[in-house]
């Protein structure tokens, strides 16, 4: 699975958009980009995933560059409850179900400031 | 709102004792994962099951750890004998795995294990 690089920490003002970058320059054509987050003392939470196209759901938007070497997770209106460690994970799906590992790196600690 | 549940939430035990952690996956999910999180190692996969059969347990120390799914509603992770280095938060996650693979894994609240 491709390695990802994320800044260790970021700050964001409450109510503003939080843009979390992720570099995955060695991503392969069949690898998806996933974002999870972990709020303090809780289990990780799935946010969104994408392959090539930009994706949006009720939690966030995912922007993937055309060359797929980087992506940005956007929380449109950050709240204090969005303070968490955000993990960017790149992984291929293995048809036949052989491997479904999520390999978590160190992530980005997003601190939303009041 | 369907959730993964884990028991106990906290466990303190002495070195050498047996520890059993339990997980109830979301009803209908066919894949269960066990992760361990420590400050030093971060979040790492120990093992996972699909349709109750173990698919991968390469991340688990085989001499003392064992994972089973007695039925579709219960997954267990057992440590015998426990050691201080096993102190960590253990997470269970479940997902629905079609042949194409799992996109979303739903995590439980974790079991915080302290071995003294």
């Amino acid at each position: 699975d491709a390695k990802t690089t994320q800044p260790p920490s970021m700050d964001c003002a409450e109510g503003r958009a939080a843009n979390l970058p992720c570099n995955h320059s060695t991503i392969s054509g069949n690898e998806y980009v996933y974002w999870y987050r972990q709020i303090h003392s809780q289990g990780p939470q799935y946010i969104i995933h994408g392959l090539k196209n930009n994706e949006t759901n009720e939690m966030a938007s995912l922007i993937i560059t055309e060359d797929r070497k980087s992506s940005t997770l956007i929380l449109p209106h950050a709240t204090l409850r969005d303070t968490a460690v955000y993990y960017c994970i790149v992984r291929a799906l293995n048809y036949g179900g052989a491997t479904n590992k999520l390999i978590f790196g160190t992530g980005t600690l997003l601190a939303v400031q009041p | 709102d369907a959730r993964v549940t884990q028991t106990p939430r906290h466990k303190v035990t002495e070195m050498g004792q047996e520890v059993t952690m339990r997980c109830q996956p979301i009803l209908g999910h066919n894949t269960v994962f066990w992760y361990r999180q420590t400050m030093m190692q971060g979040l790492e996969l120990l093992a996972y099951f699909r349709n109750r059969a173990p698919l991968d347990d390469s991340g688990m120390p085989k001499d003392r750890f064992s994972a089973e799914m007695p039925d579709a509603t219960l997954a267990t992770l057992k440590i015998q004998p426990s050691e201080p280095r096993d102190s960590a938060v253990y997470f269970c996650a479940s997902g629905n795995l079609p042949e194409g693979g799992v996109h979303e894994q739903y995590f439980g609240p974790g079991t915080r294990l302290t071995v003294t």
Side-chain angles (χ1 to χ4, degrees):
Chain A
D1 291 336
K3 181 180 173 62
T4 62
T5 304
Q6 299 177 253
S9 63
M10 291 181 63
D11 286 345
C12 176
E14 190 177 18
R16 305 298 291 267
N19 297 279
L20 293 96
C22 180
N23 285 321
H24 31 79
S25 58
T26 59
I27 192 170
S28 300
N30 64 342
E31 289 181 314
Y32 288 78
V33 179
Y34 296 83
W35 284 85
Y36 279 73
R37 73 179 182 183
Q38 188 172 21
I39 296 169
H40 183 61
S41 297
Q42 297 184 21
Q45 177 188 22
Y46 166 85
I47 301 173
I48 199 167
H49 74 275
L51 183 61
K52 296 179 182 179
N53 300 321
N54 298 337
E55 302 288 343
T56 296
N57 62 20
E58 65 278 4
M59 289 183 68
S61 295
L62 173 60
I63 308 298
I64 303 174
T65 58
E66 193 168 342
D67 62 8
R68 303 211 321 124
K69 293 183 185 299
S70 66
S71 60
T72 301
L73 179 74
I74 300 172
L75 307 179
H77 305 287
T79 71
L80 298 178
R81 288 177 297 178
D82 292 320
T83 293
V85 177
Y86 287 77
Y87 297 98
C88 170
I89 301 164
V90 171
R91 191 196 69 184
L93 286 183
N94 291 284
Y95 290 87
T99 302
N100 283 279
K101 295 180 182 181
L102 287 176
I103 300 175
F104 289 81
T106 53
T108 296
L109 174 59
L110 174 68
V112 180
Q113 308 291 343
Chain B
D1 188 19
R3 298 186 183 189
V4 175
T5 58
Q6 292 185 246
T7 57
R9 294 293 312 277
H10 303 272
K11 176 72 176 179
V12 180
T13 191
E14 292 182 348
M15 182 174 61
Q17 297 297 305
E18 178 179 297
V19 175
T20 299
M21 290 168 272
R22 294 176 175 79
C23 167
Q24 183 172 6
I26 293 173
L27 190 64
H29 282 185
N30 62 1
T31 310
V32 173
F33 306 81
W34 282 105
Y35 290 86
R36 175 172 64 183
Q37 187 171 36
T38 62
M39 290 294 293
M40 295 298 294
Q41 299 294 330
L43 200 64
E44 51 184 350
L45 179 70
L46 296 174
Y48 75 98
F49 293 75
R50 178 185 175 195
N51 294 328
R52 298 175 56 199
L55 276 191
D56 187 339
D57 61 0
S58 59
M60 201 165 65
K62 304 286 192 310
D63 56 337
R64 299 183 299 108
F65 284 61
S66 62
E68 295 179 346
M69 280 201 74
D71 60 61
T73 65
L74 177 64
T76 62
L77 180 66
K78 189 175 295 185
I79 307 174
Q80 169 63 23
S82 57
E83 298 180 0
R85 58 179 168 154
D86 301 328
S87 297
V89 181
Y90 290 81
F91 289 104
C92 172
S94 72
N96 217 5
L97 176 65
E99 286 304 312
V102 176
H103 279 306
E104 302 175 33
Q105 296 184 18
Y106 296 85
F107 284 75
T111 293
R112 181 175 296 276
L113 174 65
T114 303
V115 183
T116 60

